[in-house]
Amino acid sequence: MTGTVYLVGAGPGDPGLLTLRGAELLRGADVVVYDRLVSGELLDFAPPWAELVYAGKAPAQAAIDQGSINALLVDRAREGKVVVRLKGGDPFVFGRGGEEALACAAAGVPFEVVPGVTSAVAAPAFAGIPVTHRGIAASVAVVTASGAAGTDVDLEPAARSADTLVVLMAAGRLRAVCDALMRSGRATTEPAALIQWASTKNQRTLTAPLGDIAAAAQEAKMGAPATLVVGKVVDLSSRLAWFDPGLYARTAPAVSAPA
Ligand code: SAH
């Protein structure tokens, strides 16, 4: 019997943001193939006998290339195994989950997609920035700063049409991204935020006008993984920044029976 490949979103970093379905599948996994940005604590959900395969993915390098990852998922499933492909954020948001699903489909291997909490929404949320807000932003575009094979992406259509812009994979080319957005009509004075390591104890947030944020980020030595947010909603963070990485304990409030 062929096994199944589960493409599971691990969320942005905090293990508490894995879905219940994701946790349930990890508990029953024979094989877990995981990415660099996946919290190590999530691997503890897998049984001790599960095969754990690190699939790398630092910017511009990969421990295993995409073709080999696809082949591994298909091969293990054909051995009848329960294969969990654990991916940062959501598997279908700039995670190449679509390619892995296509490989399974082409091989006739059953697969399931378990959506995750994407950093495109979670990173702003952990900085107190709602990506939409009544009267302030009625649309949001999620774009990548880096296309296939590291090519530039045309940011203009998104920059011209969406109130809020969320740019992933921007850290390494922040100046070029900000310049492109300003050339596309975004004001140099528009509020912007860069959020690094969102939802973890290492979270850092930088806010500055779009025209200044690249220099400020360089000064602050903020690198990957970071998410750039551009738009009026960023101003809300001065009142809504709720997350204190130093104090954050991942414990839920105690449950007591109603009196
Ligand atoms: N599938 C993932 C995105 C993968 S691309 C998702 O849905 O979140 C990797 C990019 O995601 C990084 O370059 C960065 O822009 C963003 N990212 C991932 N984790 C992050 C984090 N904890 N804080 C801020 N940005 C993060």
Side-chain angles (χ1 to χ4, degrees), residues 12-13 37 88-91 93-95 117-120 123 167-170 195-200 224-227:
L37 292 177
D90 180 275
V93 178
F94 301 127
V117 175
T118 178
S119 55
V167 188
L168 300 189
M169 293 174 271
I195 308 118
Q196 183 188 26
W197 287 119
S199 83
T200 76
T227 292

Side-chain angles (χ1 to χ4, degrees), residues 120-210:
V121 174
F126 271 77
I129 303 169
V131 289
T132 69
H133 193 83
R134 211 174 153 84
I136 296 180
S139 58
V140 52
V142 178
V143 292
T144 174
S146 163
T151 51
D152 283 344
V153 170
D154 181 9
L155 297 171
E156 181 160 351
R160 292 209 182 273
S161 58
D163 294 331
T164 305
L165 291 171
V166 178
V167 188
L168 300 189
M169 293 174 271
R173 52 177 72 189
L174 200 56
R175 188 170 300 276
V177 166
C178 294
D179 286 349
L181 297 181
M182 290 182 286
R183 275 199 309 276
S184 305
R186 308 297 293 219
T188 54
T189 52
E190 197 168 345
L194 188 70
I195 308 118
Q196 183 188 26
W197 287 119
S199 83
T200 76
K201 63 178 174 20
N202 299 320
Q203 177 174 323
R204 291 167 77 197
T205 304
L206 176 72
T207 54
L210 180 58

